[in-house]
Amino acid sequence: GNSVTSIGSQAFSGCSSLTNVTIGTGVTSIGGYTFQGSGLVSLTIYATTPPRLGNNAFLGLSNFQIYVPASSVNAYRASSDWNTYSLRIQPIP
């Protein structure tokens, strides 16, 4: 829900059946190695301000998309935490 403010390190690490994740507006940080070894293909984040992103949050993943509010696409792409993934960041359909 939108009351969640933080996703801890390794929260979904190794969850190979996890393919789609939706993160609410209240999240301000995502820990390191959070999605490592998961089956993530689609991450939708409703937070307009890019959350802090821990080291290697997406370690080992290569085929996933990140969807954010259209008004925030440029902010995510420019963020030092998220710019590595700038080609994956798209507006929420």
Side-chain angles (χ1 to χ4, degrees):
N2 290 329
S3 63
V4 174
T5 60
S6 179
I7 299 173
S9 295
Q10 301 180 352
F12 303 109
S13 180
C15 295
S16 60
S17 62
L18 181 75
T19 57
N20 300 297
V21 174
T22 300
I23 295 175
T25 59
V27 170
T28 59
S29 67
I30 299 171
Y33 301 93
T34 300
F35 299 103
Q36 172 194 6
S38 72
L40 187 70
V41 295
S42 175
L43 174 64
T44 302
I45 306 172
Y46 284 95
T48 55
T49 300
R52 288 184 317 274
L53 187 63
N55 292 334
N56 299 308
F58 303 107
L59 184 67
L61 302 180
S62 59
N63 295 318
F64 65 99
Q65 292 297 314
I66 300 168
Y67 298 101
V68 302
S71 62
S72 299
V73 168
N74 289 336
Y76 274 80
R77 288 178 179 168
S79 167
S80 61
D81 287 343
W82 293 90
N83 65 3
T84 300
Y85 309 103
S86 62
L87 296 178
R88 300 177 186 282
I89 298 171
Q90 303 297 323
I92 295 170

